Amino acid sequence: SVFVERKNTIVSYNGNENWCLLENRIELAIKSKIDRLGVPLSNWNIRINYGIKTGYNKAFIIDNTIKADLIRQDNKSADIIRPLLQGKDIERYWYKNSKKYIILTHNGCSQLNMPHVDVNEYPAIKNHLDKYYKELVTRKDQGYTPYNLRSCSYMDDFLKQKLVWTPVNSEYRFAILPENYYFNNSLFMITGEKIHLLCGILNSSLYRFYLNVMFSNGTYQYGSSSFFEKLKVKRNGKEIDDIVNLVKKINATNYDKYYSKIDDLVYKLYEITDEEKEYITHKIN
């Protein structure tokens, strides 16, 4: 990066036509450490993708009552009904039970040699979707038939454990979702290596501050996957194993106990000074 001082601010250029206004030398020092120690996520063994676009949520996203009724009519319906989360369900390190589900009439997945779902094999679900046929047949996001969801080349990633994130009130929140959980396109996901480490670092106070500075004072596209591909995160260090172990333990009931411990480990990992910690705490609270 190149840094140019202008009056009371420092302009940081990263060489990709992106820039960021830093308020003072402390912000510059923090950003420099992250840039120096981190490795761009594009160089990790991961994939970044967004959630499912149904084209017409009213037909495909259902609640507990409709789910139970569809299964009561035909037990086979349960085979293509999956838990669904939305952005509002994601907290730091954990997620809420949305009590929402998606009718997963997917369009197949070549990576798994998986054919598209034939809705005629699920009569109760077909009857449900037929109520919205007019909207389904005219929507842009559809597959082989109006009943099918659009093609998704990474459908198999939903079958894996994944890190998801969403901006809530202009702040990013990251959580690990289990296998076979689905979510709509208000969320992005990362699958692949070290997702528990990424969850701990990206939820930390250091990165809450860093992401806020990068998005609020610069030209980075808010919420874009391209930004996250460029985002630098440290992969190695003696604190790594402890961060991962705590992330695997943290949940809604013990959040206060473990959050500050993860914060301290991330600060040590990035060589953050007491002065810099105090500045970060002031800026994010």
Side-chain angles (χ1 to χ4, degrees), residues 213-241:
V213 167
M214 299 303 286
F215 284 124
S216 65
N217 297 336
T219 61
Y220 290 96
Q221 183 181 349
Y222 187 75
S224 67
S225 60
S226 60
F227 168 77
F228 277 88
E229 290 173 354
K230 298 182 181 75
L231 188 65
K232 293 183 177 181
V233 179
K234 192 173 181 184
R235 293 168 53 97
N236 302 304
K238 63 182 180 179
E239 295 83 10
I240 295 292
D241 288 344

Side-chain angles (χ1 to χ4, degrees), residues 2 4 22 24 41 53 86 118 122 144 148-149 151 156-157 162 216 223 227 238 250 267 282:
V2 177
V4 180
L22 305 175
N24 53 48
L41 292 185
K53 294 180 179 180
Q86 299 168 293
D118 183 354
Y122 305 90
Y144 288 117
N148 290 108
L149 300 171
S151 293
D156 54 323
D157 281 358
K162 53 258 178 197
S216 65
F227 168 77
K238 63 182 180 179
I250 196 169
Y267 282 143
H282 172 72

